[in-house]
Amino acid sequence: SVVPDAHAACQDATVLQELLQAGFHRELLVKAELGGGAEDAAGCSVAARIHLPRGIYVDPYELASLQRQNLTKALLVPDAVDVEAPEYLATELLVLLYMEPDPRCSGCFRASLPVHGRYHRPGEDTEEASVVLKSPEVLACCCDSRLSTECWTPAEVEASCSGSPKGSCQWFSVTHRPVQEESILQVPVGLRRHNPAVCVLTLLATALCSALILAAVCKHGHFT
């Protein structure tokens, strides 16, 4: 295999992330360009290491389904995620998202991943909460190559080059420049001043539904 040109990667590598769609359920698109042509990355795996803040999560069941269909390849740390937890009770997550070569661009890689916003505490005077997603780190794993580490530094990643659960190899952090330092996810939230009205309506709805269930049981139930 061809050893990547570390000097070219150091100068030219770029990374771009985009949050597509709107609302709580989004698609995270990550693109990386190593520079110097596709031959520089021959025989290597490229991945994005993404740190998800508490306000964003990946559904592990959805991820497993996508991986069975070969639609994405990623490792989630930790792999057990409470998808029901609100933002203030959640923990940060780490995702290693394996990227595929982009045929439309020499030396380019891309991958996408569904992400979801968590519920936040009600706001005082705003109906949106901002979740900041930092630009991902670009990693390369060339198990069959001896890399010149002039611009590549070893990364502590316990994962294989292929994304299989077994085995591991040495990953390197690629010196790169992000197109933008961060992305902002706007999550809809309620307003604190609406709490009394919400509580009253919830109580009335609960009482009404309970009365309807009790009336149906009394009318149609069989008692001995």
Side-chain angles (χ1 to χ4, degrees):
S1 59
V2 180
V3 178
D5 182 3
H7 183 66
C10 182
Q11 288 187 335
D12 301 329
T14 59
V15 61
L16 169 68
Q17 71 175 4
E18 297 179 85
L19 282 167
L20 307 179
Q21 303 170 4
F24 282 94
H25 308 292
R26 311 292 287 272
E27 191 80 12
L28 177 62
L29 175 63
V30 181
K31 301 178 182 178
E33 182 178 357
L34 298 188
E39 65 276 2
D40 292 335
C44 299
S45 295
V46 177
R49 181 158 59 177
I50 307 167
H51 292 270
L52 296 182
R54 296 187 304 172
I56 305 176
Y57 72 95
V58 173
D59 187 333
Y61 304 103
E62 181 181 25
L63 178 59
S65 176
L66 292 173
Q67 296 197 120
R68 285 193 297 268
Q69 301 174 59
N70 292 322
L71 296 178
T72 192
K73 187 186 297 183
L75 293 178
L76 189 60
V77 181
D79 55 3
V81 180
D82 185 353
V83 299
E84 301 294 340
E87 180 271 340
Y88 48 88
L89 295 178
T91 57
E92 296 183 353
L93 299 173
L94 177 64
V95 180
L96 185 65
L97 179 61
Y98 291 82
M99 308 180 73
E100 297 291 336
D102 188 343
R104 296 169 295 183
C105 172
S106 178
C108 296
F109 298 80
R110 61 183 291 150
S112 62
L113 183 71
V115 296
H116 308 276
R118 292 190 182 274
Y119 292 109
H120 287 59
R121 295 184 188 275
E124 293 293 343
D125 51 11
T126 179
E127 296 183 355
E128 288 186 328
S130 298
V131 181
V132 178
L133 180 61
K134 297 293 186 180
S135 178
E137 178 185 5
V138 178
L139 302 177
C141 176
C142 306
C143 295
D144 299 327
S145 304
R146 292 181 176 272
L147 289 176
S148 170
T149 58
E150 179 182 353
C151 296
W152 302 55
T153 56
E156 296 182 1
V157 177
E158 294 293 333
S160 68
C161 288
S162 62
S164 63
K166 296 182 179 180
S168 63
C169 67
Q170 179 63 65
W171 287 84
F172 286 84
S173 178
V174 181
T175 302
H176 66 280
R177 53 183 176 85
V179 175
Q180 55 189 37
E181 294 293 337
E182 60 188 29
S183 299
I184 306 295
L185 172 65
Q186 300 291 349
V187 179
V189 299
L191 295 176
R192 291 186 183 276
R193 62 175 180 267
H194 294 162
N195 280 355
V198 171
C199 291
V200 170
L201 290 175
T202 301
L203 180 60
L204 291 175
T206 303
L208 176 60
C209 292
S210 299
L212 292 175
I213 294 173
L214 182 59
V217 170
C218 293
K219 181 178 181 179
H220 302 289
H222 300 281
F223 302 96
T224 57

